[in-house]
Amino acid sequence: SKVPTIRVNYRKTFAADNQEFNSDLFTMTLDQSISAGNFGNFRYNLRGGIFVEQKDIPFMDLLQAKGNQLLVVTASQFNSFNLLEYYRFFTNDKYAEGHIEHNFKGSLLGRIPLLNKLNFHLIAGAKALVMADNRPYTEFSVGLGNLGLGKWRFLRVDYVRSYYANQKNDGFVLRFNL
């Protein structure tokens, strides 16, 4: 689309016996998918949030980044981090995250003789997470999409490398586009 989608949300938790457990959270999401014509598709999702007041609230009410520890995922998990452990990052303060991805379709691999017959799509992406009380977490990925035989091309394989606090981690993720 030519115009990004903007969503603003407000979450109020209340009715606890202890007033310190009540909290207010504002979040905003900006996402868009852009067609680059013969050069493929670009999409992004930016999200940020802030708690009005930093309190010692229960773990389930904290804002948590979407992690993944599975080797096989669905394509709908664009807004999650590929190599991030579940419940690794959570906050009761401010945070921001960004997910970008470009599917080059046949614009790059289609120019290589013999490889162009396979009709694979080169896909590159980056993800970042910043929380007030943690160091930044980043991921970079490169993958092949449109894998399969004949009309059944619903697989994608990504190589992902993540960085956090002088630690590097890498792995492969298999995606199903259903």
Side-chain angles (χ1 to χ4, degrees):
S1 66
K2 295 181 180 182
V3 180
T5 301
I6 299 172
R7 288 183 295 281
V8 178
N9 295 316
Y10 170 73
R11 182 182 81 187
K12 170 83 173 162
T13 56
F14 58 92
D17 291 338
N18 185 346
Q19 294 297 321
E20 281 298 307
F21 290 165
N22 298 343
S23 65
D24 299 282
L25 171 66
F26 287 98
T27 60
M28 186 173 110
T29 305
L30 178 72
D31 62 1
Q32 185 176 14
S33 183
I34 302 168
S35 174
N38 291 337
F39 297 104
N41 296 323
F42 176 78
R43 67 179 179 163
Y44 66 89
N45 181 290
L46 306 172
R47 184 175 132 175
I50 186 167
F51 280 87
V52 174
E53 192 177 343
Q54 191 175 6
K55 295 180 177 181
D56 188 22
I57 59 179
F59 181 76
M60 66 186 130
D61 291 334
L62 297 174
L63 195 64
Q64 299 177 18
K66 293 180 184 176
N68 176 46
Q69 291 178 284
L70 301 174
L71 176 64
V72 179
V73 297
T74 62
S76 63
Q77 293 182 324
F78 174 67
N79 299 333
S80 66
F81 292 89
N82 295 308
L83 300 179
L84 185 64
E85 299 170 18
Y86 300 126
Y87 310 114
R88 173 87 187 259
F89 290 101
F90 48 87
T91 188
N92 62 351
D93 201 355
K94 52 187 168 274
Y95 88 104
E97 66 181 88
H99 308 265
I100 62 170
E101 180 177 273
H102 189 88
N103 184 340
F104 290 95
K105 301 273 184 176
S107 65
L108 295 178
L109 296 180
R111 299 175 191 263
I112 301 171
L114 297 178
L115 192 56
N116 61 357
K117 303 289 185 204
L118 297 173
N119 196 23
F120 292 159
H121 297 170
L122 181 66
I123 303 166
K127 299 172 184 262
L129 172 67
V130 179
M131 290 189 169
D133 43 359
N134 284 312
R135 290 183 173 171
Y137 174 86
T138 55
E139 287 184 352
F140 300 96
S141 64
V142 63
L144 287 176
N146 203 35
L147 302 175
L149 298 171
K151 295 179 183 180
W152 305 97
R153 295 185 170 266
F154 55 88
L155 296 174
R156 173 176 159 183
V157 176
D158 287 316
Y159 169 75
V160 183
R161 175 161 265 198
S162 67
Y163 299 92
Y164 174 69
N166 298 326
Q167 296 176 6
K168 295 179 200 172
N169 190 12
D170 55 357
F172 287 93
V173 176
L174 180 65
R175 295 184 188 280
F176 287 99
N177 295 322
L178 301 175

